[in-house]
Amino acid sequence: MSPLTLADVYRARQRLAGRVALTPLVPSPSLSERVGAPVHLKLETVQPTGSFKLRGATNAIAQLAEQGVTRVVTASTGNHGRALAWAARSLGIEAAVCMSSLVPRNKVDAVAALGARVVISGKSQDEAQLAAQRLVRDEGYAFVPPFDDLRVIAGQATIGLEILEALPDAATLVVPLSGGGLFGGVAFAAKQIRPSIATVGVSMVRGAAMHASLAAGRPVDVEERETLADSLGGGIGLENRHTFALARLLADDVVLLDEASIARGIAHAYREERLVVEGAGAVGMSALLDERIACAGGPIVIVVSGANIDMAVHRRIVTEN
Ligand SMILES: *Cc1c(COP(=O)(O)O)cnc(C)c1O
């Protein structure tokens, strides 16, 4: 069915060894108490760039470097750009990152600090994408997409391997969902290993492109809007090749959250789990707190996907919630 295989995911893991963190899977006593089943958090927040995106970027760039590529580029809302910059530097090649002017300042600075060339272009992900295509055409860069790429998806899928090795009886996986590289990869690996596992994608109400596309039966655009879960913004691409099909095949449920719910997740993470988490990283906890996750009886694993939140925003949210 899928052009991805479990062997691709195991090969990705070999490329990632020593380059990305094997992240902890920690029990959450407070969430377990609340839902009456064991709840575990997979902490991608501890990756050196603050999000899981380092996995996919590293897997893609390692393969490009083997093929002799010396410069890579992407268009990114921040975390993928940061991951690309880090992975390129660790593999000894040049990186350029194209972003829209809506990307938060902390994310722009973080990419520049990693030595990448930053190109700010337009007010949407699509315009940043065009800038990246110009670098490919005019300056010989290789493009590394943020999600719709089998190498990237296989890299994110290594999270699924780690979860099921640490917790073979996991019953439900709760995964943030935007373009679907994370969800598609993790759900694919998990269901290959444990077909009975239930997978839930979580997006925000404000601009849930994959949810709208699944409802329409084909990739559709949604209006890009500001949200606390800024890393979940952007479309899935009308020419989507892989992640739409994976989400359609693998998602048992997709939950949409409003902004207040996302804020509660961020505050919960800070107070009860002692974690600084960005909006996109908090949505799994939010969904559980709002009783939006059906409990299958066994352990629930929440992928906590990233930590990169503006600290002034974080302070306001934990004060108000
Ligand atoms: C990119 C990102 C996501 C969503 O990943 P997709 O592969 O686009 O679905 C979730 N959380 C964080 C922190 C991210 O950076």
Side-chain angles (χ1 to χ4, degrees):
M1 278 290 271
S2 166
L4 193 65
T5 69
L6 199 54
D8 294 327
V9 185
Y10 282 105
R11 278 192 289 271
R13 173 149 74 182
Q14 288 174 342
R15 291 188 199 97
L16 268 47
R19 293 207 167 90
V20 311
L22 291 168
T23 55
L25 184 68
V26 299
S28 166
S30 77
L31 290 175
S32 303
E33 170 98 6
R34 202 180 272 254
V35 301
V39 177
H40 299 256
L41 307 176
K42 179 67 169 165
L43 299 183
E44 290 301 302
T45 48
V46 307
Q47 290 294 353
T49 58
S51 87
F52 71 92
K53 286 215 173 59
L54 192 56
R55 296 176 185 258
T58 300
N59 189 45
I61 296 172
Q63 286 171 83
L64 288 165
E66 280 165 28
Q67 293 158 16
V69 166
T70 61
R71 319 170 99 181
V72 291
V73 62
T74 199
S76 170
T77 56
N79 281 338
H80 177 59
R82 195 186 291 211
L84 180 102
W86 177 286
R89 191 163 71 173
S90 86
L91 290 156
I93 72 176
E94 282 175 54
V97 178
C98 305
M99 304 182 192
S100 90
S101 58
L102 296 182
V103 172
R105 183 77 214 200
N106 63 316
K107 297 199 168 184
V108 177
D109 291 347
V111 166
L114 290 172
R117 175 178 168 195
V118 175
V119 180
I120 304 283
S121 187
K123 281 206 171 55
S124 71
Q125 181 66 14
D126 289 348
E127 288 173 83
Q129 182 81 22
L130 290 176
Q133 283 166 11
R134 282 194 293 275
L135 290 191
V136 170
R137 193 189 56 210
D138 301 338
E139 300 186 39
Y141 281 83
F143 187 72
V144 181
F147 54 85
D148 198 21
D149 178 288
L150 290 174
R151 301 162 302 187
V152 170
I153 298 165
Q156 323 306 28
T158 60
I159 295 169
L161 295 185
E162 290 175 22
I163 289 170
L164 280 154
E165 285 167 2
L167 197 67
D169 66 341
T172 306
L173 269 180
V174 183
V175 185
L177 173 62
S178 175
L182 176 64
F183 178 86
V186 173
F188 173 81
K191 290 205 181 198
Q192 287 285 307
I193 295 167
R194 182 168 167 80
S196 69
I197 202 164
T199 56
V200 183
V202 189
S203 306
M204 66 293 177
V205 170
R206 291 188 163 203
M210 185 63 86
H211 182 266
S213 300
L214 291 171
R218 66 188 158 82
V220 295
D221 271 335
V222 297
E223 189 197 342
E224 231 179 295
R225 298 163 69 188
E226 258 191 66
T227 166
L228 280 175
D230 53 278
S231 293
L232 300 184
I236 70 165
L238 296 178
E239 308 291 312
N240 189 287
R241 293 171 62 196
H242 306 294
T243 58
F244 174 69
L246 283 168
R248 187 149 64 168
L249 189 68
L250 300 171
D252 294 305
D253 194 11
V254 175
V255 169
L256 301 187
L257 303 177
D258 63 23
E259 297 298 298
S261 172
I262 296 167
R264 281 194 294 278
I266 293 171
H268 167 89
Y270 187 66
R271 275 210 196 90
E272 303 289 338
E273 319 289 349
R274 298 293 189 249
L275 296 172
V276 173
V277 174
E278 63 177 280
V283 295
M285 289 178 279
S286 299
L288 216 71
L289 290 168
D290 283 3
E291 297 176 5
R292 303 287 298 279
I293 306 297
C295 186
I300 299 170
V301 177
I302 298 175
V303 176
V304 182
S305 54
N308 294 322
I309 186 169
D310 182 287
M311 286 315 291
V313 172
H314 188 267
R315 203 172 311 119
R316 176 173 62 72
I317 290 170
V318 299
T319 308
E320 291 173 0
N321 283 271

